[in-house]
Amino acid sequence: MYKYQTSLATRFAQEAFGKQYKQTIGLDFFLKRISLPGNLNVTLQVWDIGGQTLGGKMLDKYVYGAHGVLLVYDITNHQSFENLVDWFNMVKKANEESDIQPVVFLVGNKRTPQT
């Protein structure tokens, strides 16, 4: 059995790796404040949606109006890559009537067993 070292959202928002990985059930929400060139301060909302929640009734509400979406898959799990089609279609459908169409990035991640 594998334990994951961290999640991308936790690493980005908290700038640290956790000693143990806790799988996202439903969703996790983070805030990240960053400074951009031109002395522009921005607060990002980062929503970490667990992979098992694709069929959730509220999922389209979470991604509606998003400016960017990272579709993350496990490079050691081909099924997680295949599932990206469903995730991408859900993002497109959720934003059909939005003035904002999110930029979508594909990210391959590898789960690492802890020793």
Side-chain angles (χ1 to χ4, degrees):
M1 177 134 174
Y2 288 101
K3 290 184 179 179
Y4 304 122
Q5 284 183 309
T6 188
S7 75
L8 294 175
T10 302
R11 171 65 181 105
F12 175 72
Q14 298 175 353
E15 298 182 4
F17 285 102
K19 294 191 187 278
Q20 290 187 328
Y21 172 80
K22 183 179 171 188
Q23 182 179 11
T24 303
I25 305 297
L27 68 94
D28 285 333
F29 177 80
F30 303 93
L31 292 176
K32 172 77 174 188
R33 291 178 176 83
I34 60 172
S35 295
L36 298 174
N39 213 13
L40 180 63
N41 294 314
V42 176
T43 300
L44 301 174
Q45 294 179 11
V46 179
W47 296 68
D48 180 7
I49 301 171
Q52 73 284 352
T53 60
L54 185 56
K57 294 179 181 178
M58 295 293 294
L59 190 54
D60 57 340
K61 308 299 186 260
Y62 300 138
V63 298
Y64 176 80
H67 291 260
V69 173
L70 298 178
L71 295 177
V72 182
Y73 71 99
D74 179 347
I75 64 170
T76 66
N77 179 339
H78 184 72
Q79 186 60 50
S80 72
F81 181 78
E82 293 288 327
N83 293 343
L84 293 174
V85 173
D86 293 334
W87 281 97
F88 182 71
N89 288 334
M90 182 274 304
V91 170
K92 282 187 358 186
K93 185 173 192 246
N95 287 286
E96 283 177 338
E97 297 180 19
S98 174
D99 293 337
I100 300 168
Q101 292 302 311
V103 177
V104 179
F105 298 91
L106 177 63
V107 178
N109 195 17
K110 182 180 184 306
R111 62 184 193 180
T112 305
Q114 290 184 338
T115 56

